[in-house]
């Protein structure tokens, strides 16, 4: 599986779970801004969890998922 394949799968799963449901009518610029804000929020959550290894790993996974989903 390539990174592009993974990106597409993550994006599809995120759509199924409603992550991008409210952006269908948004412009490409608005979609990029929404993605950047979501990434920033996830990075902040990851940084807040830095002292808890189990929670940090979960938040790091959320960052990766959000980045791949945004790229999709």
């Amino acid at each position: 599986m390539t990174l592009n394949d993974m990106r597409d799968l993550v994006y599809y799963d995120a759509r199924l779970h409603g992550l991008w449901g409210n952006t269908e009518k948004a412009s490409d610029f608005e979609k990029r801004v929404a993605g950047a804000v979501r990434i920033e929020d996830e990075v902040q959550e990851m940084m807040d969890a830095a002292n808890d290894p189990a929670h940090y790993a979960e938040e790091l996974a959320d960052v990766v998922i959000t980045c791949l989903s945004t790229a999709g």
Side-chain angles (χ1 to χ4, degrees), residues 7-71:
R7 175 206 60 209
D8 294 343
L9 287 173
V10 169
Y11 176 70
Y12 176 74
D13 187 63
R15 291 287 309 242
L16 285 177
H17 289 90
L19 183 61
W20 300 105
N22 61 349
T23 60
E24 287 186 18
K25 295 182 181 180
S27 70
D28 286 343
F29 175 76
E30 291 168 327
K31 289 177 186 177
R32 286 192 297 273
V33 169
V37 169
R38 285 188 174 127
I39 292 168
E40 182 180 22
D41 291 345
E42 292 298 339
V43 168
Q44 184 60 54
E45 289 178 19
M46 181 190 69
M47 291 171 59
D48 292 343
N51 291 326
D52 180 355
H55 190 64
Y56 179 80
E58 179 182 331
E59 294 302 334
L60 178 58
D62 287 349
V63 169
V64 172
I65 289 166
T66 303
C67 288
L68 287 172
S69 177
T70 300

